[in-house]
Amino acid sequence: MRILFALPGFHRYDRGAEIALSSVASELATSGDDVTLIGSGEPREGKPYRFIHAASIRRERFERLPSLPVFRNNTSYEEATFAVSLAAKFRPRDYDVTVTCSFPFTNWVLRRPTLVGRRPPHVFVTQNGDWPSVANNSEYRFFGCDGLVCTNPDYFENNRELRRCAMIPNGIDVAKFSKGIADRAAFGLREDAQIVLMVSAHIESKRVEQGIRAVAAIAGAHLVVAGDGPLRERAEALANDLMPGRYRRISVPAAQMPALYRSADVFLHLSEYESFGNVYVEAMASGLPVVAHDNPRNRWLVGDEEYLVDSTNLEALSSQIDNALNKKLPVRDAQCAVERFSIAAVAESYRSFFRQIVGRA
């Protein structure tokens, strides 16, 4: 099959959605499909797929602009500039199916009418939520797709009567994320410290500041946050006040993330609702205990035996982090994560769903 994945952040950012979809694309290309990615970054050596650059203005430039319908956050502004370039680079006849998780502008460009021939069927992935599919107001009235990949059971139940759906989780490269030897020196981390790791953007939904408050209450514990975003200065100021010398924000290339996980003692993630937290699976496969908000979706993803907690209760959250710092995830659980979320199995599920959608188009 000739498959197009389009996302503004491809090859520019290594965040959840970009990593999830590019991993699927790489696996599909490696196993024989003709795969193209269009994104705002630059080509990278050694990738098995074709990459096409479509320029956009970086989301950081839009951090201070107002939230408006359609332009609801800085990523929406970035996506609008990407869509202009995408429209010029997108040749519908070159593909059998198109894929994105970006709405509204990327979705609209990939579904635009064609003057010659037929538009390839379009698959939308709920990496950032299923709200485009289920909402029926404002710009969401104009959402459409020929197939919907639901990244968790909640989304599948919400949409199975509305659209052609498949429940497919995200996957990880099991050759990269595994238990192993820590390399704290590579990241400038203290060898004698207890390290709590967050892999989170500095935005409201990731609740990094709650993580700072919780870790600050644990004597001797250090918090490392791998990520960036518009709330970085606010988090830095809070950490300087509550836990001076025990907080670091770092930016780490995707290739170094496995080593960073292995250099931590506990993984902390505080999104109350995540479509699918790739970082949970990466941490589990690396052998880290996971502290996260207690809800049914996280129980499905990480299991009941993890350190799930009402993370709005600061005292309870600190207590769970402290509990996790004194224990380790059993090897059998790390292996379970590998078996459930292997990228090879996930990519095969994508291929099967694409064939169904193309066959019905």
Side-chain angles (χ1 to χ4, degrees), residues 10-22:
F10 277 148
H11 285 203
R12 172 176 281 181
Y13 304 104
D14 291 312
R15 295 178 177 171
E18 289 84 8
I19 291 172
L21 292 188
S22 64

Side-chain angles (χ1 to χ4, degrees), residues 82-300:
F82 170 74
V84 175
S85 300
L86 174 63
K89 301 291 179 72
F90 174 43
R91 297 164 58 92
R93 65 179 177 272
D94 290 347
Y95 307 105
D96 298 313
V97 63
T98 64
V99 189
T100 193
C101 64
S102 193
F103 181 82
F105 305 108
T106 305
N107 172 263
W108 290 345
V109 169
L110 296 177
R111 293 173 45 241
R112 73 185 187 194
T114 59
L115 297 176
V116 180
R118 290 198 308 166
R119 171 185 64 79
H122 176 63
V123 171
F124 190 82
V125 185
T126 61
Q127 288 292 338
N128 300 315
D130 69 340
W131 39 269
S133 176
V134 299
N136 195 30
N137 63 315
S138 192
E139 69 268 26
Y140 311 126
R141 293 173 294 168
F142 306 107
F143 172 81
C145 65
D146 302 289
L148 188 74
V149 171
C150 300
T151 54
N152 63 58
D154 301 2
Y155 292 167
F156 184 71
E157 289 302 318
N158 290 346
N159 290 277
R160 62 187 304 177
E161 302 298 330
L162 301 175
R163 307 183 188 279
R164 294 173 181 167
C165 296
M167 210 295 284
I168 308 175
N170 290 346
I172 61 167
D173 184 342
V174 299
K176 293 181 179 178
F177 294 96
S178 61
K179 292 172 67 69
I181 299 173
D183 186 11
R184 292 190 171 187
F187 305 102
L189 305 180
R190 285 178 47 176
E191 295 291 343
D192 62 342
Q194 290 184 309
I195 302 295
V196 179
L197 172 66
M198 297 184 75
V199 180
S200 295
H202 283 262
I203 57 178
E204 291 287 355
S205 64
K206 302 298 184 181
R207 304 172 65 220
V208 172
E209 290 169 52
Q210 182 74 343
I212 291 171
R213 294 185 183 97
V215 177
I218 303 171
H222 289 231
L223 178 63
V224 175
V225 181
D228 197 7
L231 301 182
R232 66 184 78 82
E233 287 85 5
R234 204 168 81 182
E236 190 85 31
L238 180 65
N240 287 339
D241 183 43
L242 297 182
M243 51 187 309
R246 295 193 287 133
Y247 171 83
R248 282 194 62 196
R249 179 178 65 85
I250 62 177
S251 294
V252 177
Q256 293 183 19
M257 283 305 300
L260 180 61
Y261 281 114
R262 290 194 290 267
S263 298
D265 296 299
V266 165
F267 179 73
L268 175 65
H269 197 67
L270 294 180
S271 292
E272 293 189 44
Y273 288 97
E274 192 93 40
S275 299
F276 185 100
N278 301 15
V279 290
Y280 292 131
V281 182
E282 293 169 354
M284 289 190 297
S286 302
L288 289 180
V290 172
V291 179
H293 188 71
D294 189 5
N295 60 41
R297 190 177 301 162
N298 282 347
R299 288 188 175 276
W300 164 77

